[in-house]
Amino acid sequence: MQYDGLWKEVSKKEGSASSPIHGLTHWRRVFENGLMIARETGANIDLVEFFALFHDSCRLNDGKDPDHGRRAADWVASMRSDLPDIPEDLFQFLLEALRDHTHVRYTDNIHIATCWDADRLDLDRVGTIPDPDYMNTEIGRIMARNGGFIMEALEKFVERLIGSIGCYSHKCETEMYSLKKNDKNMKGRMGVFAWVKELKRDDKFEISTYKTMGDEANVSQWSDKTVPGMHFVAKHKDKGEGTGIVFYVKRGGKGHDYEKAVRSLRAILLK
Ligand SMILES: [Fe+2]
C-alpha cells in the first residue's frame, strides 16, 4: 500500500476500524478488489486506495447508517492538504464516490465505478453473494460471477484449497496436483490422499480420491461422483480397491461445493 502511514492513522479510529464487518479487514479487501478492477478499467490507484480506506471509516454502527458516506466525504474534504498527490479533478471524484456509495447504484465514471464494484464484491463476507447486476464495470460483473476472482487458475485454486484443508500439495504433471499429508517427500511417506485437476471447458475443478479413503473417513456419501479404476489402476483389474470418488468445485467457488469438498478432504486427512 502506498499510504501506509495514513492507513495506520485511520485504523486507530475508534469504532469503525475494529468492526469485523465494516472495519479494517473489509477496507483491505476493497483495496485488493479495486486493484484487480483498476487493472482493467484504468482507474486511478490512489483514488481507489483512499476510497477503500475512508469509505466506511465514519460509520457509527454496523447497521443502517445512511449518512456515513457523506461524513466520510466531509472528513476527507477537510484533509485536502494532507492528500497532495491526487489532482483536483480526481479528488472531486473521490468525494463523490465516498458521498454516494451508500445510496447511488450506477455511475459512468470509471474511477467511481471501480470503487463501488470493489466494495460490492466484498459482500460475501456478510453472506450475500455479489450480484453481477449491481456492478458498474464489465470486470466487476465477471468477478461477481467467479466468486470474486477474475479467473482462478489451477495453481491459485490449489493454494486456496490446501490453506483451507491444512495440507500440502505437489505438482505431479503439468495439469495435475496431488494433495499430501507430509511436506517433504519422505521415502514411502508422501501421504498423497487426493488429486486436483482443472476442467477448463466446464469452468470447474475436479478433486478425486480413493473411495476406500472416503469410506474410512465416512465422507464418500458427500462426493459428486464415483468412478471405477482411478488414475493408475486399470479398470479391468479394478476389484473395487481402485474406485475413486470425485468432488467438483466451480472456479472461484466459495459456497457449498467448496465447503463440502474441504470438509470431506480434511476428514480424510485426519484419518
Ligand atoms: Fe464498504
Side-chain angles (χ1 to χ4, degrees):
M1 282 174 283
Q2 171 95 1
Y3 299 95
D4 276 343
L6 206 54
W7 278 81
K8 276 197 195 111
E9 272 312 302
V10 182
S11 305
K12 285 183 202 150
K13 212 161 187 296
E14 260 174 52
S16 60
S18 57
S19 157
I21 301 174
H22 295 107
L24 185 59
T25 49
H26 164 62
W27 307 348
R28 286 212 185 100
R29 281 194 304 265
V30 171
F31 183 45
E32 279 165 25
N33 289 343
L35 284 178
M36 279 194 260
I37 300 168
R39 237 178 271 147
E40 301 294 320
T41 61
N44 181 275
I45 302 295
D46 290 342
L47 186 153
V48 170
E49 183 165 348
F50 292 138
F51 175 83
L53 174 61
F54 289 110
H55 78 286
D56 278 343
S57 66
C58 292
R59 269 186 168 275
L60 300 177
N61 56 58
D62 278 330
K64 274 206 162 57
D65 181 6
D67 267 353
H68 75 273
R70 188 192 46 74
R71 281 196 301 274
D74 291 348
W75 187 37
V76 170
S78 74
M79 294 192 266
R80 177 66 180 109
S81 54
D82 297 328
L83 309 172
D85 300 341
I86 186 160
E88 187 53 31
D89 57 338
L90 292 178
F91 189 73
Q92 292 306 321
F93 297 153
L94 170 65
L95 296 184
E96 187 180 336
L98 292 168
R99 192 186 61 231
D100 292 350
H101 88 275
T102 45
H103 56 281
V104 180
R105 203 180 274 193
Y106 302 114
T107 173
D108 289 334
N109 181 296
I110 55 139
H111 306 283
I112 300 171
T114 300
C115 293
W116 291 356
D117 284 8
D119 188 23
R120 288 166 196 177
L121 278 167
D122 197 39
L123 271 176
D124 60 354
R125 76 194 186 283
V126 286
T128 305
I129 309 262
D131 185 345
D133 289 343
Y134 276 74
M135 296 295 146
N136 284 278
T137 64
E138 189 48 41
I139 190 67
R141 278 185 281 277
I142 291 171
M143 287 173 73
R145 281 194 291 267
N146 284 339
F149 296 93
I150 291 175
M151 162 122 168
E152 191 177 32
L154 176 62
E155 195 188 351
K156 284 277 163 214
F157 175 70
V158 171
E159 215 176 280
R160 177 160 75 99
L161 188 65
I162 63 171
S164 301
I165 298 171
C167 65
Y168 300 94
S169 69
H170 172 76
K171 195 172 184 185
C172 27
E173 298 161 27
T174 40
E175 300 294 325
M176 198 188 282
Y177 281 78
S178 62
L179 302 184
K180 48 187 205 137
K181 294 183 181 184
N182 304 312
D183 187 11
K184 296 268 161 14
N185 186 2
M186 289 176 274
K187 235 185 189 166
R189 291 182 57 197
M190 280 279 278
V192 170
F193 63 97
W195 293 265
V196 188
K197 69 177 184 183
E198 186 176 6
L199 303 177
K200 286 198 174 122
R201 198 180 267 231
D202 300 323
D203 217 22
K204 63 186 180 189
F205 299 101
E206 181 189 283
I207 309 159
S208 49
T209 182
Y210 285 108
K211 187 168 179 297
T212 47
M213 290 185 182
D215 288 348
E216 221 180 293
N218 202 17
V219 296
S220 294
Q221 70 271 24
W222 303 115
S223 66
D224 297 307
K225 201 169 103 181
T226 303
V227 283
M230 239 187 33
H231 302 312
F232 315 111
V233 184
K235 273 183 195 155
H236 65 275
K237 282 189 186 163
D238 183 13
K239 297 201 168 61
E241 69 270 25
T243 303
I245 52 172
V246 174
F247 297 91
Y248 294 112
V249 177
K250 72 173 186 332
R251 197 189 298 282
K254 292 175 182 169
H256 182 61
D257 54 347
Y258 184 69
E259 276 172 25
K260 192 176 71 161
V262 167
R263 224 179 301 133
S264 304
L265 290 156
R266 198 187 290 140
I268 291 172
L269 172 76
L270 295 174
K271 259 285 156 192

